[in-house]
């Protein structure tokens, strides 16, 4: 029999192939007949006749199954938010307030396309076969073949060479048993394996509050949830808990989706039949549950469900939920709402959910009760458990293990709450003594105490330099970062980075400023900015950690209690305001200020005290500071509120004063001098000058003069900006005949010009005792080598230097430099002498040192810019003179 089937199929294939060869379109019946062949026979015939099997049947059955499995049948639901479309950019990026969503609605949210379950899914044994289902029968044994048979409209299954049998209404299990038995009885030596092929499709209606109500064609294996998926889910007002399945006008089942979504119970998700109606009614009573629950959402309630049922839908309360006070917002009469409170710590406390209720479960306080907090320069900051009798030493344990390398071992404080208002008392102690077991410092702790450990450095730069010298390991460096991050998180304080001085015009502004008025406005605004250099404090510095403590003490002070703050000034490492600790004496305040500096005067110190807080009752208390340091009670008085301690400076105290001699001296270098020492004394200590020294060209600089020059340049720059801003930019451009780039470049160069701090001196007069120059810290004397050139700079065609010729005057040197430019001011030409003095060649008088010679080697001839035509912008002239003079001084020093 099998050979007979193979011959018949071969004939069909030959006919089919011939049809293709003749470029004729095969009939659908021929294609269907070929597709009924087993896969192995199809491949064998295709290889035999050299035909591409995929081109005949449109791809392998496996590929078709895979494509069907991979193809999406439900698209994403398109959502158009009109409000979002109308939002401004600021509103779009503004943090959104999280709103509760109805529970379960997003599970089925989709855009319906088609929904046909995969044909490769296993068919359950209780599946009812009906007309349209395809039965695949694989025969094996004496004969082997595969037969595809369909159940006709009469409910009969026709198997070749076997009598038809009525199977409609049977279960799949019964069908398999019937066919197997029939084949075994009627075909001797042949057994059958029965499976279902293509299943029939059914037509169901999804109505009510579906996203897209309508009639849908589904597989006969489809359930209620398949129908919901096919219709794109439910609408915003649909009920998930009372979905009805109607058959023949009667309700045959009710499906509660919460059973499936919350409990995983799909027992009511029945298989649909042809003509079934899935009806989705409007939503019933709804209650919102928000706050400290595991599943906050809007839930639908059935009649009779309790508070316990509602909390179960929300997944229960979180561990940090405050059960003692759960608030319920309930719609009342009129325009007002009711606020109800219930204690859920022991059940529902009589609360019965109602439609529209909003249940809010607050979180318990994050504050610790039976705990002690440690912050600052410690390796393990955070909360520590407390028990009766616990001391500071029990928490710190050891210096090296519990503290960071920068920790201050002498000054730490303990903050203790004293009343229900959160007011605090401050206790000061030494960490080193606390760890050593000194009971005066190893304080007994109370619940909610806070221990603050400070760094022994105030600035971040100083702290980082010290840590680099300690050569910390990678683990220690990582620990430093972690502790600082914890501190920033715990204290809710983030460091404010002090910005460097901003340039006059950024690149973006330079590009943007095309209009002239914009430049004028920018210059005016820039001239009003104040640029201040601030200290970047270390993370655990006194300034950072005491800020909140001081503010707290200021707030808790009132009419009945004076503010618990004291101040220390003068010769301590960290002057400033500190908390007034319990039983705080002078020595404790000095310790809080970081200890005394080297210049502190020990024989006398002073406390300024106001008993009533007014200027009429101020007293000054003097005492011996050495006695206070030694612990003498009489010399270590207790401090009162708002006391100010002043640590005096040793009379005539000075730090090491150093001056520098460079250039043509016998022993150049840096010299330490005593107060009042003169320039002549230091020159003699340096062995005098060498034979090549140009004494009349000496350059002497002083720090205080340098600071004055910097202030003058800043004042000049600001005046120039204001002058430019006050005038019409267009008018200025036309009259000055300068480009935008030139004006901008000049202002920037002027503001960034390094200052020299040069003081014009005559070394001949100083060495001859005609003048006396008392030295200051940072003074410097530069002695250049003898020079034989004259320099010409400014508004000349070729600024250069020329070999000195005693027979050539100023005009001749200018002609040698190509003559003056068009913008040169020939009436204001001046000469800068090698020693820094200035004179005008036409006049007999000098601005500085008088001499009979007008030009000498090393002098510089300056031809300034003509600024008389610049419409009251006379500052340009001053600016150019500063450029020239500073340039000459710097050139003299750099030439050493």
């Amino acid at each position: 029999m099998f050979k007979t089937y193979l011959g018949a199929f071969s004939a069909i294939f030959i006919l089919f192939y011939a049809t293709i060869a003749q470029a004729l379109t095969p009939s659908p019946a021929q294609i269907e007949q070929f597709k009924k062949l087993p896969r192995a026979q199809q491949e064998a015939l295709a290889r035999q006749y050299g035909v591409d099997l995929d081109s005949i049947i449109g791809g392998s059955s496996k590929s078709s199954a895979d494509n069907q499995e991979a193809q999406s049948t439900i698209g994403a639901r398109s959502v158009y938010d009109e409000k979002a479309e109308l939002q401004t950019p600021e509103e779009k990026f503004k943090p959104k307030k999280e709103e509760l969503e109805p529970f379960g609605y997003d599970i089925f949210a989709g855009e319906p396309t088609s929904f046909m379950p995969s044909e490769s899914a296993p068919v359950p044994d209780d599946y009812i076969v009906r007309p349209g289902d395809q039965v695949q029968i694989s025969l094996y044994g004496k004969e082997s073949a595969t037969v595809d048979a369909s159940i006709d409209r009469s409910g009969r299954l026709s198997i070749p060479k076997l009598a038809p049998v009525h199977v409609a209404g049977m279960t799949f299990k019964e069908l398999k048993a019937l066919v197997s038995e029939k084949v075994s009885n009627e075909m001797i030596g042949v057994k059958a394996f029965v499976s279902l092929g293509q299943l029939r499709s059914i037509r169901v209606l999804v109505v009510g509050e579906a996203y897209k109500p309508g009639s849908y064609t589904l597989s006969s294996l489809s359930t209620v949830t398949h129908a919901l998926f096919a219709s794109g889910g439910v609408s915003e007002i649909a009920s998930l808990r009372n979905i009805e399945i109607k058959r023949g006008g009667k309700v045959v089942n009710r499906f509660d989706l919460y059973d499936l979504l919350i409990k995983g119970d799909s027992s009511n998700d029945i298989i649909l039949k042809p003509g079934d109606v899935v009806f989705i009614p409007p939503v019933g009573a709804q209650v919102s549950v928000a706050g400290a629950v595991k599943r906050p959402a809007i839930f639908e309630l059935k009649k009779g469900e309790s508070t316990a049922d509602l909390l179960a839908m929300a997944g229960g309360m979180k561990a940090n939920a405050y059960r003692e006070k759960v608030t319920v917002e309930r719609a009342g009469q009129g325009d007002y709402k009711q606020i109800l409170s219930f204690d859920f710590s022991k059940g529902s406390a009589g609360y019965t959910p109602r439609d529209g209720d909003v249940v809010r479960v607050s979180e318990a306080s994050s504050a610790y009760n039976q705990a002690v907090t440690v912050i600052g320069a410690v390796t393990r900051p955070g909360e520590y458990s407390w028990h009766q009798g616990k001391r500071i030493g029990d928490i710190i344990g050891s210096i090296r293990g519990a503290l960071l390398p920068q920790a201050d071992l002498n000054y730490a404080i303990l903050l203790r709450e004293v009343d229900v208002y959160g007011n605090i008392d401050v206790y000061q102690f030494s960490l080193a003594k606390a760890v050593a077991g000194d009971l005066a410092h190893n304080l007994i702790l109370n619940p909610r105490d806070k221990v603050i450990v400070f760094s022994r450095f105030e600035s971040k730069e100083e702290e980082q330099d010290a840590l680099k010298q300690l050569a910390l390991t990678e683990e220690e460096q990582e620990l430093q970062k972690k502790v600082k991050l914890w501190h920033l998180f715990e204290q809710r304080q983030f460091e404010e980075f002090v910005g460097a001085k901003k340039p006059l015009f950024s690149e973006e502004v330079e590009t943007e400023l095309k209009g002239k008025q914009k430049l004028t406005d920018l210059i005016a605004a820039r001239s009003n900015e104040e640029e201040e250099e601030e200290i970047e404090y270390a993370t655990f510095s006194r300034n950072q950690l005491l800020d909140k403590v001081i503010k707290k003490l200021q707030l808790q002070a009132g009419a009945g209690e004076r503010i618990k703050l004291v101040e220390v000034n003068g010769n301590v490492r960290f002057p400033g305001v500190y908390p007034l600790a319990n039983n705080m004496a002078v020595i404790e305040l000095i310790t809080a200020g970081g200890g005394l500096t080297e210049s502190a005067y020990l024989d006398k110190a002073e406390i300024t005290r106001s008993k009533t807080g007014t200027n009429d009752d101020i007293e000054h208390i003097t005492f011996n500071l050495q006695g206070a340091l030694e612990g003498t009670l009489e010399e270590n008085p207790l401090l009162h509120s708002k006391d100010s301690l002043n640590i005096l400076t040793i009379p005539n105290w000075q730090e090491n004063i150093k001056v520098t001699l460079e250039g043509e001296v016998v022993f150049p270098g840096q010299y330490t001098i005593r107060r009042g020492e003169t320039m002549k004394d230091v020159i003699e200590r340096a062995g005098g000058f060498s034979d090549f020294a140009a004494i009349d060209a000496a350059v002497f600089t002083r720090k205080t003069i340098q600071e004055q020059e910097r202030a003058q340049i800043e004042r000049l720059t600001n005046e120039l900006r204001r002058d430019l801003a006050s005038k019409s930019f267009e008018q200025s451009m036309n009259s000055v005949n300068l480009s935008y780039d030139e004006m901008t470049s000049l202002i920037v160069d002027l503001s960034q010009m390094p200052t020299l701090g040069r003081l014009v001196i005559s070394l001949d007069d100083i060495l001859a005792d005609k003048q006396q120059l008392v030295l200051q810290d940072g003074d410097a004397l530069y002695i250049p080598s003898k020079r034989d050139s004259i320099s010409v700079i400014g508004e000349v065609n070729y600024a250069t230097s020329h070999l000195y010729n005693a027979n050539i005057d100023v005009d001749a040197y200018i002609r040698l430099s190509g003559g003056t430019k068009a913008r040169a001011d020939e009436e204001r030409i001046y000469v800068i002498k090698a020693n820094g003095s200035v004179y005008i060649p036409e006049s007999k008088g000098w601005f500085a040192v008088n001499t009979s010679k007008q030009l000498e080697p090393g002098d510089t001839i300056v031809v300034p810019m003509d600024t008389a035509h610049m419409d009251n912008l006379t500052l340009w002239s001053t600016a150019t003179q500063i450029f020239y003079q500073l340039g000459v001084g710097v050139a003299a020093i750099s030439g050493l």
Side-chain angles (χ1 to χ4, degrees):
M1 182 181 292
F2 175 72
K3 293 181 178 179
T4 303
Y5 287 151
L6 181 60
F9 287 139
S10 298
I12 294 172
F13 184 80
I14 293 172
L15 178 62
F16 178 69
Y17 177 70
T19 304
I20 297 177
Q22 296 174 8
L24 298 177
T25 304
S27 66
Q30 293 175 334
I31 296 177
E32 289 299 324
Q33 287 179 346
F34 180 76
K35 287 183 177 180
K36 290 181 180 180
L37 289 174
R39 179 69 182 180
Q41 296 177 14
Q42 292 176 352
E43 293 176 352
L45 290 172
R47 287 194 301 269
Q48 180 180 352
Y49 293 97
V51 178
D52 184 7
L53 183 60
D54 292 341
S55 66
I56 300 174
I57 63 174
S60 65
S61 59
K62 182 178 183 304
S63 301
S64 299
D66 292 343
N67 293 336
Q68 183 180 3
E69 185 72 25
Q71 185 178 3
S72 175
T73 58
I74 300 295
R77 183 180 295 185
S78 59
V79 178
Y80 174 72
D81 191 349
E82 183 179 357
K83 294 182 179 179
E85 191 70 24
L86 299 176
Q87 284 181 340
T88 64
E90 182 180 356
E91 291 173 339
K92 288 182 179 180
F93 292 100
K94 189 176 181 180
K96 304 293 189 303
K97 183 179 180 181
E98 188 173 351
E99 298 182 356
L100 292 179
E101 298 290 342
F103 172 72
Y105 282 52
D106 57 338
I107 300 296
F108 301 97
E111 189 72 28
T113 55
S114 64
F115 188 86
M116 293 294 290
S118 174
E119 296 292 341
S120 61
V123 180
D125 287 342
D126 59 351
Y127 173 73
I128 305 299
V129 296
R130 296 188 182 278
D133 288 337
Q134 185 180 28
V135 181
Q136 293 181 347
I137 305 172
S138 298
L139 303 176
Y140 61 93
K142 184 179 178 180
E143 296 182 8
S144 298
T146 300
V147 178
D148 288 339
S150 298
I151 302 175
D152 59 23
R153 293 185 180 182
S154 299
R156 296 178 302 176
L157 177 65
S158 299
I159 305 174
K161 295 188 178 182
L162 299 179
V165 59
H166 191 278
V167 296
M170 289 184 177
T171 64
F172 179 48
K173 183 177 182 180
E174 294 172 342
L175 174 66
K176 289 190 292 183
L178 175 63
V179 173
S180 297
E181 182 179 1
K182 189 174 181 62
V183 171
S184 298
N185 294 335
E186 298 184 15
M187 300 179 68
I188 306 301
V190 178
K191 294 184 179 181
F193 177 81
V194 182
S195 64
L196 288 180
Q198 184 176 358
L199 301 179
R200 70 185 185 277
S201 60
I202 62 174
R203 196 79 173 174
V204 297
L205 280 174
V206 183
V207 295
E209 297 302 330
Y211 176 63
K212 290 289 181 67
S215 177
Y216 291 91
T217 301
L218 306 176
S219 167
S220 56
L221 291 177
S222 298
T223 63
V224 179
T225 53
H226 293 153
L228 293 178
F229 275 113
S231 64
V234 296
S235 68
E236 297 177 353
I237 62 170
S239 171
L240 299 185
R241 309 205 61 189
N242 193 26
I243 300 175
E244 298 177 351
I245 297 89
K246 296 184 178 182
R247 186 173 298 157
K250 297 181 180 180
V251 177
V252 295
N253 191 34
R254 283 186 170 87
F255 185 32
D256 186 349
L257 270 174
Y258 278 23
D259 291 340
L260 177 63
L261 299 178
I262 297 177
K263 303 175 184 178
D265 182 6
S266 62
S267 58
N268 286 327
D269 189 15
I270 63 173
I271 295 178
L272 299 175
K273 294 184 178 181
D276 281 356
V277 176
V278 179
F279 175 67
I280 306 172
V283 68
Q286 288 183 305
V287 176
S288 302
V289 183
V293 293
K294 298 177 181 177
R295 191 188 296 123
I298 302 174
F299 298 96
E300 182 181 356
L301 290 183
K302 284 185 175 181
K303 187 176 181 180
E305 286 186 323
S306 64
T307 305
D309 298 326
L310 178 62
L311 292 178
M313 296 176 195
M317 294 186 182
K318 292 183 179 179
N320 63 339
Y322 184 52
R323 293 172 168 81
E324 286 75 7
K325 186 178 181 181
V326 176
T327 61
V328 176
E329 296 180 12
R330 176 170 293 173
Q333 298 179 352
D335 295 335
Y336 300 98
K337 287 185 177 182
Q338 291 180 329
I339 301 295
L340 308 176
S341 296
F342 298 93
D343 185 359
F344 280 16
S345 61
K346 299 178 181 179
S348 59
Y351 168 65
T352 301
R354 291 186 186 178
D355 185 20
D357 282 357
V358 179
V359 180
R360 299 189 185 278
V361 183
S362 302
E363 294 184 355
S365 174
S366 59
Y368 294 93
N369 186 23
Q370 302 294 319
V372 177
T373 304
V374 180
I375 66 173
V378 294
T379 57
R380 291 177 291 274
E383 283 72 31
Y384 289 78
S385 62
W386 173 87
H387 59 75
Q388 192 69 36
K390 195 167 191 176
R391 294 180 178 269
I392 290 176
D394 299 329
I395 295 179
I396 301 301
S398 65
I399 297 296
R400 292 187 177 181
L403 302 177
L404 296 178
Q406 66 265 38
D408 191 335
L409 302 182
N410 297 318
Y411 178 59
I413 60 174
L414 183 148
L415 307 181
R416 176 167 295 166
E417 294 185 2
V418 294
D419 54 29
V420 295
Y421 302 105
N423 293 330
I424 60 173
D425 276 345
V426 180
Y427 296 84
Q428 179 177 331
F429 63 94
S430 166
L431 281 169
K433 294 180 180 179
V435 173
D438 187 340
L439 297 182
H441 295 269
N442 193 15
L443 305 175
I444 295 178
L445 297 170
N446 287 352
R448 300 174 63 83
D449 281 354
K450 179 177 288 188
V451 177
I452 302 180
V453 179
F454 300 93
S455 170
R456 51 195 170 95
F457 306 101
E458 196 68 4
S459 70
K460 178 174 288 189
E461 182 180 2
E462 184 183 11
E463 181 181 78
Q464 290 176 345
D465 292 342
L467 293 178
K468 288 179 182 178
Q469 295 177 2
L470 294 175
L472 300 180
T473 63
E474 292 184 3
E475 292 77 10
E476 290 173 332
Q477 294 177 9
E478 188 66 24
L479 180 61
Q480 292 272 346
K481 296 179 182 178
K482 290 181 178 179
V483 172
K484 290 178 180 179
L485 288 175
W486 182 93
H487 170 76
L488 295 176
F489 171 77
E490 180 70 13
Q491 298 296 330
R492 302 294 194 271
Q493 292 178 341
F494 293 90
E495 293 178 339
E496 296 180 358
F497 295 96
V498 180
K501 291 185 177 181
K502 294 177 287 187
L504 181 63
F505 304 117
S506 65
E507 294 181 0
E508 293 79 8
V509 175
E510 294 276 9
T511 305
E512 181 183 357
L513 287 180
K514 301 299 182 181
K516 302 177 179 64
Q517 186 59 40
K518 287 186 178 180
L519 175 63
T520 306
D521 296 339
L522 184 61
I523 295 176
R526 183 65 177 83
S527 64
N528 295 327
E529 294 182 359
E530 295 182 1
E531 300 177 355
E532 299 180 357
E533 295 184 1
E534 299 179 6
I535 298 175
E536 190 173 359
Y537 291 101
T539 304
F540 307 119
S541 64
R542 287 160 167 78
N543 183 279
Q544 294 286 73
L545 296 183
L546 285 178
D547 180 61
K548 285 190 175 182
V549 179
I550 292 174
K551 290 180 180 177
K552 177 66 176 177
L553 293 173
Q554 290 173 339
L555 289 174
Q556 72 182 42
E561 182 179 356
R562 298 191 65 185
I563 189 169
K564 294 182 179 180
L565 294 175
V566 289
E567 183 181 19
V568 59
N569 296 308
N571 292 275
V572 292
R573 289 192 62 198
F574 308 123
V577 176
Y578 290 88
L580 176 61
N582 283 18
N583 298 321
M584 189 178 194
V586 169
I587 187 61
E588 282 77 24
L589 181 55
I590 293 175
T591 302
L596 300 174
T597 61
E598 183 183 3
S599 58
Y601 185 56
L602 300 181
D603 292 340
K604 179 183 177 182
E606 182 181 75
I607 297 175
T608 302
R609 176 176 297 165
S610 174
K611 294 182 179 180
T612 61
T614 63
N615 293 331
D616 299 332
D617 190 17
I618 292 179
E619 81 176 298
H620 302 287
I621 304 171
T622 59
F623 60 94
N624 183 270
L625 185 57
Q626 183 65 46
L629 296 176
E630 295 173 355
T632 304
L633 183 61
E634 295 79 8
E635 303 298 344
N636 188 25
L638 293 177
L639 297 173
H640 295 177
S641 168
K642 298 178 68 174
D643 277 0
S644 179
L645 173 63
N646 186 24
I647 306 299
L648 305 176
T649 306
I650 297 175
N652 297 322
W653 170 266
Q654 65 177 25
E655 302 290 341
N656 289 335
I657 301 178
K658 295 183 179 181
V659 297
T660 302
L661 270 65
E662 294 184 5
E664 298 296 334
V665 292
V666 177
F667 301 109
Q670 194 174 67
Y671 289 84
T672 301
I673 64 173
R674 66 178 183 276
R675 192 171 184 179
E677 197 165 352
T678 64
M679 174 61 74
K680 181 179 179 181
D681 298 333
V682 177
I683 292 175
E684 291 177 353
R685 291 169 56 189
F689 304 112
S690 68
D691 296 337
F692 304 98
I695 299 178
D696 56 348
V699 177
F700 179 79
T701 62
R702 174 163 287 175
K703 286 185 177 180
T704 55
I705 299 178
Q706 185 180 19
E707 294 172 357
Q708 293 174 1
E709 289 179 354
R710 169 52 53 192
Q712 181 183 4
I713 289 178
E714 290 181 357
R715 179 187 59 80
L716 177 64
T717 304
N718 291 332
E719 289 180 0
L720 184 56
R721 291 187 183 119
R722 284 194 295 268
D723 198 5
L724 287 173
S726 63
K727 301 179 182 300
S728 171
F729 185 83
E730 184 69 36
Q731 179 181 357
S732 299
M733 284 287 290
N734 293 334
S735 59
V736 177
N737 199 25
L738 286 177
S739 68
Y740 159 77
D741 292 335
E742 287 176 327
M743 297 178 67
T744 302
S745 177
L746 183 57
I747 296 176
V748 173
D749 291 344
L750 180 60
S751 62
Q752 297 179 353
M753 174 64 70
T755 54
L756 187 62
R758 182 173 183 177
L759 176 66
V760 177
I761 62 173
S762 173
L763 278 181
D764 292 333
D765 293 344
I766 291 175
L767 296 176
D769 290 331
K770 295 181 179 179
Q771 291 182 346
Q772 189 178 33
L773 178 61
V774 179
L775 297 176
Q776 299 178 6
D777 185 34
D779 286 352
L781 179 65
Y782 304 88
I783 307 297
S785 301
K786 292 181 179 179
R787 300 179 182 179
D788 53 2
S789 62
I790 297 291
S791 299
V792 182
I793 63 175
E795 296 301 312
V796 292
N797 289 315
Y798 183 68
T800 186
S801 297
H802 305 275
L803 190 64
Y804 174 72
N805 188 339
N807 297 322
I808 297 179
D809 59 7
V810 172
D811 293 336
Y813 279 115
I814 293 176
R815 287 193 297 272
L816 290 175
S817 296
T820 60
K821 293 182 179 179
R823 292 187 299 187
D825 190 348
E826 298 182 3
E827 296 181 357
R828 299 176 59 200
I829 296 174
Y830 57 93
V831 177
I832 302 177
K833 300 291 293 180
N835 65 355
S837 59
V838 181
Y839 82 97
I840 298 176
E842 288 77 11
S843 64
K844 301 290 185 178
W846 285 78
F847 291 127
V849 182
N850 292 326
T851 178
S852 56
K853 298 181 179 179
Q854 289 199 345
L855 279 180
E856 294 178 324
D859 290 352
T860 300
I861 302 171
V862 179
V863 180
M865 181 189 299
D866 184 6
T867 58
H869 63 285
M870 294 182 65
D871 192 17
N872 297 328
L873 293 180
T874 56
L875 292 173
W876 288 102
S877 176
T878 309
T880 55
Q881 293 180 14
I882 291 178
F883 283 142
Y884 295 147
Q885 295 182 31
L886 288 177
V888 172
V890 172
I893 296 176
S894 61
L896 295 179

